[in-house]
């Protein structure tokens, strides 16, 4: 599961990281509590270069009758991408990167859940593997949406949740974006748990559970309550 994440860098840092130099994003600002249904930053490759744009988080397949299905498509399990009608075609030809510098998940069960911030030990930006699609409403409005791919958790994450987003090694990002690669056998090996030893996690305030809270207090460390 991946239901909240952060991208706290500047637009300049984001463009430099993904080798983009002519992107204009007037609405961009650092986000400390990205939530489903929001417009999120995503990178695609147009055949010549990387392009940065916005996609709504929650995939609406092009054949869907109702956009509400998007709230059921926040994540896509890596193990079944080639089998699910909603994900099969995007897996072949509509793959994207969703940049982040951490994601949140909740440790524990019932009323005693502790939100955790999970990130790379290097504290660098990383790329979550995503899929996108464009849906046209009955009124002719085009909506571009995305989903974040998940895989089984690595050893560190297993203590928090059984699933984690697919974080692509930097050297594999171009392979994931390459539209000429359509073979499941070529793509599936990319969708592995990221190495535990390169990641870290720490507890944060329960305020991240409220989408209206989107500031630096969301990422402040607190004492573990569990």
């Amino acid at each position: 599961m991946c239901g909240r994440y952060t991208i706290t860098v500047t637009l300049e840092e984001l463009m430099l990281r993904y080798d983009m130099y002519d992107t204009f994003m007037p609405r961009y600002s650092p986000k400390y509590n990205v939530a489903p249904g929001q417009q999120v930053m995503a990178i695609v490759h147009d055949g010549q270069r990387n392009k940065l744009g916005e996609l709504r988080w929650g995939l609406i397949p092009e054949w869907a009758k109702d956009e509400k299905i998007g709230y059921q498509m926040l994540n896509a399990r890596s193990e079944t991408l080639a089998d699910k009608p909603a994900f099969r075609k995007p897996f072949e030809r509509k793959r994207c990167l969703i940049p982040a510098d951490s994601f949140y998940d909740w440790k524990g069960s019932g009323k005693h859940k502790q939100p955790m911030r999970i990130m790379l030990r290097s504290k660098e930006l990383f790329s979550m593997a995503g899929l996108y699609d464009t849906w046209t409403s009955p009124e002719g409005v085009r909506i571009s949406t995305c989903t974040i791919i998940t895989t089984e958790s690595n050893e560190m994450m297993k203590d928090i949740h059984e699933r984690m987003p697919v974080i692509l090694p930097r050297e594999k990002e171009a392979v994931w974006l390459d539209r000429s690669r359509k073979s499941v056998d070529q793509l599936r090996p990319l969708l592995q748990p990221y190495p535990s030893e390169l990641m870290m996690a720490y507890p944060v305030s329960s305020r991240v559970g409220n989408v209206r809270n989107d500031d630096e207090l969301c990422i402040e460390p607190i004492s573990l309550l569990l």
Side-chain angles (χ1 to χ4, degrees):
M1 179 66 184
C2 178
R4 298 288 176 90
Y5 69 92
T6 71
I7 176 168
T8 66
V9 298
T10 65
L11 179 59
E12 290 73 19
E13 290 173 305
L14 182 62
M15 292 170 63
L16 182 63
R17 166 64 172 78
Y18 291 98
D19 194 26
M20 298 176 293
Y21 302 102
D22 58 354
T23 297
F24 179 61
M25 295 292 297
R27 294 191 298 175
Y28 177 82
S29 62
K31 299 283 289 182
Y32 295 87
N33 196 9
V34 183
Q38 294 181 349
Q39 295 292 116
V40 303
M41 293 294 105
I43 292 110
V44 301
H45 196 276
D46 65 3
Q48 295 184 327
R49 58 184 176 176
N50 288 344
K51 295 184 67 174
L52 177 67
E54 287 185 312
L55 300 171
R56 193 169 84 182
W57 186 6
L59 189 91
I60 307 173
E62 61 179 1
W63 44 260
K65 295 181 179 180
D66 192 321
E67 65 178 292
K68 291 180 181 178
I69 194 175
Y71 291 99
Q72 303 172 33
M73 303 283 182
L74 304 176
N75 294 155
R77 294 176 69 92
S78 61
E79 298 89 343
T80 56
L81 291 179
D83 305 319
K84 300 290 186 180
F87 306 132
R88 188 182 301 124
K89 286 187 177 180
F91 185 32
E92 290 179 1
R93 55 187 173 85
K94 293 183 178 180
R95 300 182 298 272
C96 63
L97 304 176
I98 300 174
D101 48 25
S102 72
F103 63 94
Y104 299 112
D105 217 323
W106 277 254
K107 181 178 180 179
S109 60
K111 297 181 180 180
H112 304 289
K113 287 188 175 182
Q114 171 63 61
M116 305 289 291
R117 186 188 186 206
I118 302 106
M119 59 197 301
L120 301 187
R121 287 192 177 276
S122 65
K123 301 183 181 180
E124 295 176 326
L125 270 172
F126 55 83
S127 298
M128 298 184 288
L131 306 176
Y132 69 97
D133 210 343
T134 300
W135 177 77
T136 304
S137 74
E139 296 76 30
V141 178
R142 290 168 59 85
I143 302 175
S144 294
T145 60
C146 65
T147 187
I148 295 173
I149 300 172
T150 67
T151 186
E152 62 182 6
S153 287
N154 60 26
E155 287 303 312
M156 185 210 72
M157 272 297 298
K158 284 179 181 178
D159 189 47
I160 301 171
H161 197 277
E162 63 183 10
R163 305 288 296 179
M164 67 180 292
V166 170
I167 298 174
L168 293 166
R170 189 164 182 171
E171 66 273 15
K172 299 297 184 182
E173 293 171 354
V175 177
W176 180 251
L177 291 179
D178 187 348
R179 293 183 176 185
S180 69
R181 296 177 185 266
K182 299 180 181 181
S183 168
V184 173
D185 292 337
Q186 286 182 312
L187 297 169
R188 198 184 296 281
L190 302 178
L191 306 178
Q192 303 296 322
Y194 203 73
S196 282
E197 63 272 16
L198 301 180
M199 299 184 70
M200 60 177 283
Y202 65 82
V204 293
S205 167
S206 60
R207 69 194 309 275
V208 303
N210 187 331
V211 67
R212 289 175 293 185
N213 297 322
D214 184 14
D215 53 39
E216 294 185 22
L217 291 177
C218 290
I219 63 173
E220 286 292 316
I222 67 167
S223 299
L224 187 62
L225 302 179
L226 297 176

